[in-house]
Amino acid sequence: MAKSSLSSLRPEDLSGKRVLVRVDFNVPLDDGGSITDDTRIRAALPTINDLISKGARVILAAHFGRPKGQINEAMRLTPVAQRLSELLGKRVQKTDSCIGSEAENQANSMVDGDVLLLENVRFFAEEEANEPGFAEKLSSLAEVYVNDAFGAAHRAHASTEGVTKFLSPSVAGYLMEKELQYLQGAIDEPKRPLAAIVGGSKVSSKIGVLESLIDKCDKVLIGGGMIFTFYKARGLSVGKSLVEEDKLSLAKELEEKAKSKGVQLLLPTDVVLADNFAPDAKSQVASINSIPNGWMGLDIGPDSVKVFQDALSDCQTVIWNGPMGVFEFDKFANGTNAIATTLASLSAKGCCTIIGGGDSVAAVEKAGLAEKMSHISTGGGASLELLEGKTLPGVAALDTVD
């Protein structure tokens, strides 16, 4: 069901109105409390600026960290308010609490074009419990609701789902709309051939997405630590590489499912091995058929890169979720970097390349290729759940297009 978005509202629907906007400002801080990556704040700017330009009174709700329903001084949104003020070129006020008389007074004293940031909604346990009374108090600050926090859309929390029962209209912001357009579009109506590259260390964390992608894709390429569970299931020796013993039969089933559906499921043909898990470990390249005892695989090998590049060469849509190896160690980042470079060149030829959240985003940014991709998702868990075909509560709660 298509969801109503901010673009469907007229300026007169917003002018002079208090608009509650759920944003994802869960940004990383250094030990000194300074923001190290403001990507998530920047991603919300199109929605915030549009509302300002239409004379709305913008009230931002966000979470930060995991305070577990308690006030935690280290998890206040003060640094976010400062950075947002710099990016908007105007002062952003911040409340001391997201509900209560102080928040109400600040909201009621706003003028058109003002921006107010509510304190961390997760300082209240009622937020994650989606307690109706808390959602009502939060929504009483505003008249319109916009959800632009795709990264939290897989949670049925008070600020993502509960408030929609009290505010109308409830619509998607521009970031949310873009995420749904790319991720949902890639699954429902892709330009084919459609390929998915799935990486990461464990099969168990990607079971749902692998099963779903095998149903929808023409090609599925698997990398990362999870490959060794597949190899062991085939009866190969994997040295001291990471293996999930309880997922061996599942790995066999996934390979059989792909074969029965005519889906090309590709695993690496060679791997980069290390004698221990360290950035300065001794390394060697070995075929998957000859991994020696005492060594562990930390990256896909050069032959695998060529095989993967060949498989991707004719694809019109590619979704990537999860690195090919331990890219945090430069010595074992070549496979991941090669995939990033390959996707960047495919984008230039008109292929739709979607980086589906999580570590893949960090890898693409580390390689300096983020701008070359069609779409970089801001949601980790939300991206995965959408690719799995699950309903996201924060999306389902929004108004449906008539």
Side-chain angles (χ1 to χ4, degrees), residues 187-199:
I187 290 300
D188 294 344
E189 297 174 353
K191 287 194 295 177
R192 293 188 181 272
L194 166 64
I197 309 164
V198 182

Side-chain angles (χ1 to χ4, degrees), residues 5 9 17 31 37 47 70 76 86 92 96 116-117 122 124 140 175 180 209 214 226-227 253 262 288 295 313 343 354:
S5 71
L9 299 183
K17 297 282 177 68
D31 293 339
D37 182 356
T47 291
Q70 305 283 329
R76 288 196 178 274
E86 292 166 10
V92 174
D96 290 330
L116 176 67
L117 176 63
R122 288 192 185 170
F124 291 84
S140 71
L175 175 62
L180 295 173
V209 81
I214 288 169
M226 71 171 83
I227 60 177
E253 286 167 21
I288 61 163
W295 290 74
S313 63
L343 294 196
I354 300 165

Side-chain angles (χ1 to χ4, degrees), residues 6 9 13-22 47 51 56-61 110 116 141-146 167 169 171:
L6 182 54
L9 299 183
D13 296 328
L14 299 164
S15 180
K17 297 282 177 68
R18 294 190 307 278
V19 181
L20 180 65
V21 186
R22 180 56 161 95
T47 291
L51 288 167
R57 303 172 185 195
V58 186
I59 302 170
L60 304 172
M110 295 174 78
L116 176 67
L141 300 172
E143 300 152 279
V144 176
Y145 177 68
V146 176
L167 289 171
V171 301

Side-chain angles (χ1 to χ4, degrees), residues 23-25 27 38-48 84 87 148-149 173-176 178-179 375-378:
V23 286
D24 182 4
F25 285 169
V27 293
D38 65 1
T39 303
R40 286 179 169 177
I41 301 175
R42 288 176 181 275
L45 293 179
T47 291
I48 297 169
L84 183 59
L87 291 168
D148 214 26
Y174 293 120
L175 175 62
M176 176 76 83
K178 187 183 177 198
E179 291 275 16
H375 179 64
I376 295 208
S377 180
T378 56

Side-chain angles (χ1 to χ4, degrees), residues 116-184:
L116 176 67
L117 176 63
L118 302 178
E119 187 53 275
N120 194 339
V121 290
R122 288 192 185 170
F123 282 176
F124 291 84
E126 295 92 333
E127 156 68 4
E128 292 186 75
N130 198 5
E131 201 272 315
F134 177 78
E136 187 171 14
K137 287 176 187 171
L138 202 55
S139 58
S140 71
L141 300 172
E143 300 152 279
V144 176
Y145 177 68
V146 176
N147 192 345
D148 214 26
F150 178 73
H154 59 314
R155 308 291 189 201
H157 292 170
S159 66
T160 61
E161 198 267 351
V163 293
T164 64
K165 295 176 173 66
F166 304 98
L167 289 171
S168 181
S170 288
V171 301
Y174 293 120
L175 175 62
M176 176 76 83
E177 186 179 23
K178 187 183 177 198
E179 291 275 16
L180 295 173
Q181 175 193 335
Y182 273 97
L183 288 168
Q184 198 85 58

Side-chain angles (χ1 to χ4, degrees), residues 173-286:
Y174 293 120
L175 175 62
M176 176 76 83
E177 186 179 23
K178 187 183 177 198
E179 291 275 16
L180 295 173
Q181 175 193 335
Y182 273 97
L183 288 168
Q184 198 85 58
I187 290 300
D188 294 344
E189 297 174 353
K191 287 194 295 177
R192 293 188 181 272
L194 166 64
I197 309 164
V198 182
S201 58
K202 294 184 175 181
V203 182
S204 55
S205 63
K206 301 285 171 82
I207 294 169
V209 81
L210 279 170
E211 289 181 332
S212 175
L213 290 171
I214 288 169
D215 280 335
K216 297 180 172 84
C217 292
D218 302 296
K219 305 177 188 187
V220 177
L221 287 59
I222 301 177
M226 71 171 83
I227 60 177
F228 299 103
T229 301
F230 283 89
Y231 296 149
K232 184 147 188 191
R234 290 179 179 180
L236 297 173
S237 170
V238 296
K240 58 177 184 178
S241 303
L242 179 72
V243 169
E244 290 179 281
E245 298 286 348
D246 62 335
K247 295 290 181 282
L248 296 177
S249 59
L250 174 75
K252 280 183 186 171
E253 286 167 21
L254 288 169
E255 288 210 66
E256 285 162 8
K257 180 180 178 179
K259 192 174 181 181
S260 70
K261 287 185 168 288
V263 173
Q264 202 177 347
L265 190 146
L266 291 172
L267 288 161
T269 50
D270 62 345
V271 288
V272 182
L273 301 169
D275 62 349
N276 67 90
F277 190 83
D280 59 350
K282 289 179 184 170
S283 64
Q284 61 169 309
V285 176

Side-chain angles (χ1 to χ4, degrees), residues 310-329:
D310 287 346
L312 294 168
S313 63
D314 67 339
C315 291
Q316 292 299 302
T317 308
V318 181
I319 304 164
W320 182 18
N321 184 285
M324 297 293 96
V326 186
F327 74 98
E328 297 89 346
F329 298 164

